[in-house]
Amino acid sequence: MSPHDEPRSAAEAARVDLAVVIRPHGVRGALKILLHNPDTPLLRPGKEFMLGDTRVRITGIKPLSDPRFRVIDIDGLSDRDEAEALRRYRE
């Protein structure tokens, strides 16, 4: 049995990955993310989502020159070390 065959809860089955955390951005805890769909309207300030097993809220979002990437600020995330711990999470 592969990990993909294991039973999942309804909440886990309903989750859809919107992006991947690429790396910290700056020293104040911002995250650079790679969007699976650059046109998604789902990531905006005030929006809550699951980052791993934790519910977080976006407080800011900035476009980058490459439309596949954004820089997001998360409520409560205030330094680069905290942001580094989230590298490669899917949201």
Side-chain angles (χ1 to χ4, degrees), residues 5-56:
D5 295 333
E6 293 179 15
R8 299 182 339 173
S9 71
E12 289 174 324
R15 289 174 62 171
V16 175
D17 288 345
L18 299 175
V20 176
V21 176
I22 300 298
R23 62 178 179 81
H25 183 84
V27 296
R28 295 186 179 156
L31 299 171
K32 181 177 181 180
I33 61 171
L34 170 63
L35 297 170
H36 295 306
N37 174 5
D39 298 323
T40 185
L42 299 175
L43 294 177
R44 61 185 183 280
K47 184 72 175 174
E48 291 186 354
F49 62 93
M50 297 300 292
L51 188 58
D53 294 329
T54 305
R55 181 172 296 279
V56 297

Side-chain angles (χ1 to χ4, degrees), residues 1 4 7 11 13 15 19 22-23 26 33 35 39 45-47 49 54 57-58 61 65 70-71 74 80 82-83 91:
M1 176 185 270
H4 300 291
R15 289 174 62 171
I22 300 298
R23 62 178 179 81
I33 61 171
L35 297 170
D39 298 323
K47 184 72 175 174
F49 62 93
T54 305
R57 185 172 58 86
I58 296 175
I61 187 164
S65 58
R70 301 285 189 284
V71 172
I74 302 293
R80 186 174 184 91
E82 292 172 351
E91 54 186 59

